[in-house]
Amino acid sequence: MTMTTPALVSQVLLEAPLDKDRDAAPMQRQLHHRIKEAILDGRLAPGSRLPGSRALAEALSISRNTVTAAYDLLAAEGYVQSDRQGTRVATLSRPAPPRMLQTKGTPPSIPAIALRLARIQPSVPRADAGATLRPGVPALSHFPLAAWRRAVDRAIRHAGPSALGYGDPLGEPALRAAIARHLGIARGVRCESAQVVITEGAQEALALCVRLLTNPGDTAWIEDPGYRGAKAAMHAGDLRLAPIRIDADGLIAQARRHGAWIIEDDYDSEFRHAGESIGAMQGLVTQAPVLYVGTFSKTMFPSLRLGFLVLPQALLAEMQTPLEEMLRGGHRYEQLALAEFIESGQFSRHLGRMRRLYRDRQQALREALTRYLRLPHVIQGGHCGLHLTVRLPARYPDHRIADAARRYGIAPAPLSGFVLRPMPEDNGLVLGYGNTSAELFEPLVRRLSQLIRAAEIF
Amino acid sequence: MTMTTPALVSQVLLEAPLDKDRDAAPMQRQLHHRIKEAILDGRLAPGSRLPGSRALAEALSISRNTVTAAYDLLAAEGYVQSDRQGTRVATLSRPAPPRMLQTKGTPPSIPAIALRLARIQPSVPRADAGATLRPGVPALSHFPLAAWRRAVDRAIRHAGPSALGYGDPLGEPALRAAIARHLGIARGVRCESAQVVITEGAQEALALCVRLLTNPGDTAWIEDPGYRGAKAAMHAGDLRLAPIRIDADGLIAQARRHGAWIIEDDYDSEFRHAGESIGAMQGLVTQAPVLYVGTFSKTMFPSLRLGFLVLPQALLAEMQTPLEEMLRGGHRYEQLALAEFIESGQFSRHLGRMRRLYRDRQQALREALTRYLRLPHVIQGGHCGLHLTVRLPARYPDHRIADAARRYGIAPAPLSGFVLRPMPEDNGLVLGYGNTSAELFEPLVRRLSQLIRAAEIF
């Protein structure tokens, strides 16, 4: 089985010298990595003998302990086997994965997939994280990352190994209490912490609502234009979607009459820029038939993936058991860190700073649009949140503009993509100002202005 | 509106002296907390004036800066408002939440909820995290928590603010690559990293399979007895469940004939105690019609909530777009930390240590059962994983035993709970040895022996 001599192996390993810079990875790790690569890509075949640790250490001018540590690790991972004759590349029980997939032969027939997949419409290709004017992204560079890092680290140290296990499937009690309290003050939401269910962002909360409240074929009335994610969750639940235009009071009355539930996705009201703060619909009347959905994606950061669902008291008893079966809790250290972040006031302080920043950015974007967007347009929105909507005549198709903009690293979202059955008047761009610095607005709007004109259909 | 004098407010605040111990929370935080509590529980009514910062600082013998800092934070949170006349408790737009729910009046009628909820069976009440013999929990105190803490901290420092934003909705590329590579070596799974989708534990992976592959009313054939979570996911997808008993080769042939997909939930094979390692079904034949599901709940720790789904190459093209709409990625720092944990070999080293620990524990539990379980019984399982199954005669109903055991902090799972339509012979206890120290097995089995006998039905 010895198909390669140690000399050849040394050659493979010595192709390029190890990096002995102070900032480089430790020798042991470099060596381990290099041998693993060579095994995986086939340069070191199964059965090949590796050089003795002493010989290799000398050849590489590193300590012998380093070599044996790297070999031990490779053995633990199953890449090599050691016996009295030395160390050999293991005969992997099956060949390395990627190659095998290129075998010839008849492809398997593709069995049925879910019908609902056809209803889930592909969105515009995802923009780079760094793209400007992308809606729904908060000011990432203004997030107090160092403080958050300390909070997570503290949570791990304080909670210790006990929080490694399964916790409350509905979320850490400390976080649910902190959220209930914050919502009461900030959004007028009426709830006890037992009604708060922690979810994987608003998206899981919406999916849960669908699974808890609907049967396949039910009709969901949805705000339109509205959040794409809500529509995806409803399509996944085999619902029929119908657009609705109605205000909060009317909605509650309608819902009561028809025995329906309202899902209130209160995703950006924490950032209010003008007018008096409007409380959440959930708190407008006692025992409103409302499931309130919130997220920390905008108020903290998107990759935290932490949202919540506030169940009506009336549903709690019936929902608790199925929820405990469907959810698993988890991410406990992050949840504990966030609870501390809220209770210590760091969260409110951050919100206050961001409110000022976004108010300024919104005003600056509005001014830039007024001055540099030399086209007929109407600016909408802006009372709260992180985006403005610019409606455009139908002769400038929004999808074409968005496609062209992406090539310049600009990521406005086409308005028509938020509408269930778009009409010619549902044309425009949704411009996010959350994560784009105000100095860039002038050049960005000038560029957009050009791109819009170039997209015109005659 | 001034309903309370500053003197009264001071009294509230001074009810108990602040804690000036070195280990106590900083003065500012204590003060902030105490005022917030007083506002929330109604002792400080809306409109009440707070004492001047100078007066309060003197009364409490603390610095005036501390008082103003606490007041500023309360103002940022919306609890108080400051103007030239001083600081007052804010008139909260709505009363604090808990009280309002106790209003009298007719309760709202409860609108329809999903029919499927009735099919989701409540499990045994959840055991305390610290309960012994609980199945499915790994050895928490043996997890290298300090190393993990450093890995997370390093990921946050290295990735910086860029990883705060939305990433790849299917998961961090570095982690998907590390998993593909690990699976190829450790489990014989054949895949490229593009086929790996990161999920919220195995549970989300199972739910995704249901949503991607099935239509309401479809039949799912499931291993029985089997994982409760899989059944819950399938009930949530309105599937009909049918039990199946068949081996891997037969299953693949059957699936091909019927145009069906196989979901392989490979949850505990990393811990193999006896016999030769059996590769995953996914890798048994090329292009098997298998969706492979895995989790790090057992190999790392449950509250990491990280699992994955390996899509067959044949489905990737069709699934990618809907998956990108349905998923949001996230937990990027944890994912990056885990990728590093795997690539640096720390993961394999931990697995190696745990394999030895579990092998020893399993053997010790088996011996304890043989010696101290003085009842007719059959021990099953134990080739891999973290539990043994003890089958018992039907006259000792497993649910009764489990209920009684819970009162002693012992949490075996009743076998009948894992079976779709339990028959008298599906009676027994599933005993987890992952997180229970071997010294405890003798007293625990002696206790169980008593409890089983006490549960006998004559």
Side-chain angles (χ1 to χ4, degrees):
Chain A
M1 278 293 281
T2 310
M3 304 183 321
T4 327
T5 68
L8 273 172
V9 175
S10 302
Q11 211 176 3
V12 166
L13 297 175
L14 291 165
E15 259 163 18
L18 297 178
D19 184 351
K20 295 190 178 176
D21 260 19
R22 275 195 57 216
D23 292 337
M27 284 301 112
Q28 179 200 326
R29 215 162 116 198
Q30 287 189 45
L31 188 61
H32 166 250
H33 180 72
R34 195 171 287 190
I35 299 176
K36 196 152 98 175
E37 287 293 327
I39 294 172
L40 284 169
D41 67 17
R43 280 174 295 149
L44 291 181
S48 312
R49 258 174 68 206
L50 294 186
S53 55
R54 186 191 307 266
L56 187 58
E58 274 171 25
L60 297 171
S61 310
I62 57 181
S63 101
R64 191 175 168 191
N65 282 344
T66 305
V67 177
T68 50
Y71 279 13
D72 285 351
L73 183 50
L74 288 164
E77 293 176 312
Y79 289 94
V80 304
Q81 283 166 337
S82 298
D83 57 24
R84 280 182 208 149
Q85 276 125 46
T87 303
R88 283 166 198 276
V89 175
T91 307
L92 305 177
S93 49
R94 257 164 296 282
R99 274 155 232 288
M100 279 304 290
L101 289 168
Q102 291 150 13
T103 50
K104 285 154 207 152
T106 47
S109 66
I110 296 189
I113 56 172
L115 297 174
R116 65 178 72 92
L117 293 195
R119 290 194 298 264
I120 296 176
Q121 292 190 2
S123 63
V124 195
R126 262 153 217 283
D128 284 347
T132 53
L133 298 180
R134 186 180 169 189
V137 183
L140 302 182
S141 61
H142 289 255
F143 181 76
L145 187 57
W148 177 246
R149 188 161 72 80
R150 284 192 298 273
V152 172
D153 197 62
R154 204 156 45 226
I156 298 181
R157 272 187 291 119
H158 284 191
S162 70
L164 291 168
Y166 291 101
D168 188 328
L170 273 49
E172 288 301 296
L175 180 58
R176 295 163 71 191
I179 289 173
R181 184 177 280 200
H182 174 79
L183 287 180
I185 299 293
R187 304 291 308 126
V189 169
R190 304 163 180 200
C191 68
E192 293 173 18
S193 60
Q195 293 169 256
V196 179
V197 180
I198 306 297
T199 58
E200 274 289 294
Q203 194 59 29
E204 190 190 15
L206 292 167
L208 275 181
C209 289
V210 170
R211 289 160 74 184
L212 293 170
L213 296 172
T214 73
N215 298 307
D218 282 357
T219 298
W221 298 86
I222 56 163
E223 199 183 348
D224 196 50
Y227 177 50
R228 298 178 53 87
K231 289 171 200 164
M234 288 167 183
H235 279 309
D238 295 294
L239 304 186
R240 263 189 282 256
L241 305 195
I244 196 170
R245 279 164 216 266
I246 195 171
D247 71 356
D249 290 328
L251 205 55
I252 291 177
Q254 288 274 349
R256 285 218 165 124
R257 191 163 331 127
H258 295 99
W261 293 103
I262 299 169
I263 300 171
E264 179 177 18
D265 182 6
D266 197 26
Y267 72 103
D268 66 357
S269 320
E270 293 270 13
F271 302 118
R272 181 145 202 98
H273 311 308
E276 211 196 324
S277 169
I278 297 170
M281 202 194 309
Q282 196 265 11
L284 284 184
V285 297
T286 42
Q287 305 192 321
V290 170
L291 289 86
Y292 178 92
V293 169
T295 177
F296 289 95
S297 291
K298 315 287 183 277
T299 52
M300 292 282 289
F301 56 92
S303 77
L304 182 61
R305 282 278 69 210
L306 219 147
F308 52 88
L309 173 63
V310 180
L311 289 172
Q313 194 78 287
L315 278 183
L316 192 57
E318 276 173 278
M319 296 295 185
Q320 182 119 12
T321 304
L323 276 172
E324 287 177 353
E325 290 297 307
M326 289 156 83
L327 299 176
R328 291 288 178 280
H331 303 290
R332 297 176 67 186
Y333 296 113
E334 284 177 305
Q335 292 191 19
L336 292 169
L338 181 56
E340 222 261 327
F341 216 69
I342 296 172
E343 288 297 343
S344 67
Q346 292 180 86
F347 179 65
S348 289
R349 268 198 301 270
H350 173 59
L351 276 188
R353 277 192 299 263
M354 291 304 100
R355 245 178 240 125
R356 289 187 290 278
L357 178 77
Y358 296 142
R359 192 184 299 141
D360 293 348
R361 285 190 175 175
Q362 198 232 103
Q363 203 173 337
L365 179 57
R366 202 179 274 277
E367 283 166 18
L369 288 167
T370 308
R371 294 180 65 171
Y372 306 110
L373 192 61
R374 301 286 175 79
L375 291 157
H377 69 270
V378 179
I379 302 175
Q380 293 186 320
H383 290 297
C384 50
L386 302 175
H387 66 264
L388 285 174
T389 300
V390 179
R391 287 192 180 258
L392 294 169
R395 66 178 184 277
Y396 306 112
D398 53 14
H399 271 285
R400 286 183 68 177
I401 305 166
D403 286 346
R406 216 169 313 112
R407 272 175 260 132
Y408 293 89
I410 315 175
L415 178 62
S416 60
F418 294 88
V419 184
L420 217 49
R421 284 180 280 275
M423 305 289 280
E425 63 266 29
D426 298 316
N427 189 59
L429 298 175
V430 180
L431 306 176
Y433 50 78
N435 197 32
T436 303
S437 169
E439 302 94 82
L440 296 175
F441 291 157
E442 182 191 325
L444 286 171
V445 173
R446 282 179 187 276
R447 170 69 70 191
L448 270 184
S449 198
Q450 289 168 1
L451 294 172
I452 293 171
R453 250 184 259 115
E456 184 167 8
I457 293 176
F458 296 97
Chain B
M1 278 295 281
T2 311
M3 304 183 322
T4 327
T5 68
L8 275 171
V9 175
S10 302
Q11 212 175 2
V12 166
L13 296 177
L14 292 164
E15 259 164 16
L18 297 178
D19 185 351
K20 296 190 179 175
D21 261 20
R22 276 195 55 214
D23 292 340
M27 284 300 111
Q28 178 201 327
R29 213 161 119 199
Q30 287 189 47
L31 188 61
H32 165 251
H33 181 71
R34 195 172 287 190
I35 299 176
K36 195 151 103 173
E37 287 292 327
I39 294 173
L40 284 169
D41 66 16
R43 280 175 294 148
L44 291 182
S48 311
R49 261 175 63 209
L50 294 186
S53 55
R54 187 192 305 268
L56 188 59
E58 274 172 23
L60 297 170
S61 312
I62 57 180
S63 101
R64 192 176 165 191
N65 283 344
T66 304
V67 176
T68 50
Y71 280 11
D72 285 350
L73 183 51
L74 288 164
E77 292 177 312
Y79 289 95
V80 304
Q81 283 165 337
S82 297
D83 57 22
R84 280 181 208 148
Q85 276 125 47
T87 302
R88 285 166 196 277
V89 176
T91 308
L92 305 177
S93 49
R94 259 163 294 281
R99 273 155 234 286
M100 280 305 290
L101 287 169
Q102 291 150 16
T103 50
K104 284 155 206 150
T106 48
S109 67
I110 296 190
I113 56 171
L115 297 173
R116 66 178 72 93
L117 293 196
R119 291 194 297 263
I120 297 176
Q121 292 190 3
S123 63
V124 194
R126 261 154 217 284
D128 285 345
T132 53
L133 297 180
R134 187 179 169 189
V137 184
L140 302 182
S141 61
H142 290 256
F143 181 76
L145 186 57
W148 177 245
R149 187 160 73 80
R150 284 192 298 273
V152 172
D153 198 62
R154 205 157 42 226
I156 299 181
R157 273 186 291 120
H158 284 193
S162 70
L164 290 167
Y166 291 100
D168 188 328
L170 273 49
E172 288 301 298
L175 179 57
R176 294 163 72 192
I179 289 172
R181 186 177 278 200
H182 174 80
L183 287 180
I185 299 292
R187 303 291 307 126
V189 169
R190 302 162 183 201
C191 67
E192 292 172 20
S193 60
Q195 293 169 258
V196 179
V197 180
I198 307 297
T199 58
E200 275 290 292
Q203 195 59 28
E204 190 191 16
L206 292 167
L208 274 181
C209 290
V210 170
R211 288 161 74 186
L212 293 171
L213 296 173
T214 72
N215 298 305
D218 283 357
T219 298
W221 298 87
I222 58 162
E223 200 182 348
D224 198 50
Y227 178 48
R228 298 178 53 86
K231 290 171 200 161
M234 287 167 183
H235 279 310
D238 297 294
L239 304 185
R240 263 189 282 256
L241 304 195
I244 196 171
R245 277 163 216 268
I246 196 170
D247 70 357
D249 291 326
L251 206 53
I252 290 177
Q254 289 273 348
R256 287 219 163 126
R257 191 164 331 130
H258 294 98
W261 293 102
I262 299 169
I263 301 171
E264 179 176 20
D265 182 6
D266 197 28
Y267 71 104
D268 67 356
S269 319
E270 293 269 13
F271 302 118
R272 180 142 206 100
H273 311 309
E276 210 197 325
S277 170
I278 297 170
M281 202 193 310
Q282 196 267 10
L284 283 184
V285 296
T286 41
Q287 306 192 319
V290 171
L291 289 85
Y292 179 91
V293 169
T295 177
F296 289 95
S297 291
K298 315 286 182 279
T299 51
M300 292 281 290
F301 57 93
S303 76
L304 182 60
R305 282 275 74 209
L306 220 148
F308 52 88
L309 173 63
V310 180
L311 290 172
Q313 193 76 290
L315 278 184
L316 192 57
E318 276 172 279
M319 297 296 184
Q320 183 121 7
T321 303
L323 277 172
E324 286 177 354
E325 290 297 306
M326 290 157 83
L327 299 176
R328 291 289 178 279
H331 304 291
R332 296 176 67 187
Y333 297 113
E334 283 177 305
Q335 291 192 18
L336 292 169
L338 181 56
E340 222 261 326
F341 216 70
I342 296 172
E343 288 296 343
S344 68
Q346 291 179 88
F347 179 66
S348 289
R349 268 198 299 271
H350 174 59
L351 276 188
R353 278 192 299 264
M354 292 304 101
R355 242 177 242 128
R356 289 187 290 278
L357 179 78
Y358 296 143
R359 191 183 299 139
D360 293 348
R361 285 191 175 172
Q362 198 233 101
Q363 202 172 342
L365 179 58
R366 203 178 272 276
E367 283 166 17
L369 287 166
T370 308
R371 294 179 65 169
Y372 306 110
L373 191 63
R374 300 288 176 77
L375 291 156
H377 70 268
V378 179
I379 302 175
Q380 292 185 321
H383 290 297
C384 51
L386 304 175
H387 65 265
L388 284 174
T389 301
V390 179
R391 289 193 178 256
L392 294 169
R395 65 179 186 276
Y396 307 110
D398 52 16
H399 273 283
R400 290 184 66 177
I401 305 165
D403 287 346
R406 218 169 312 112
R407 273 176 258 133
Y408 292 89
I410 314 174
L415 177 62
S416 60
F418 294 88
V419 183
L420 216 49
R421 285 180 280 275
M423 304 289 280
E425 64 267 29
D426 298 315
N427 190 59
L429 298 174
V430 180
L431 306 175
Y433 49 78
N435 196 32
T436 302
S437 167
E439 303 94 82
L440 296 174
F441 290 157
E442 182 190 327
L444 285 171
V445 172
R446 282 178 186 277
R447 170 69 70 191
L448 271 183
S449 198
Q450 287 169 3
L451 293 172
I452 294 170
R453 250 183 259 115
E456 184 168 7
I457 293 175
F458 294 99

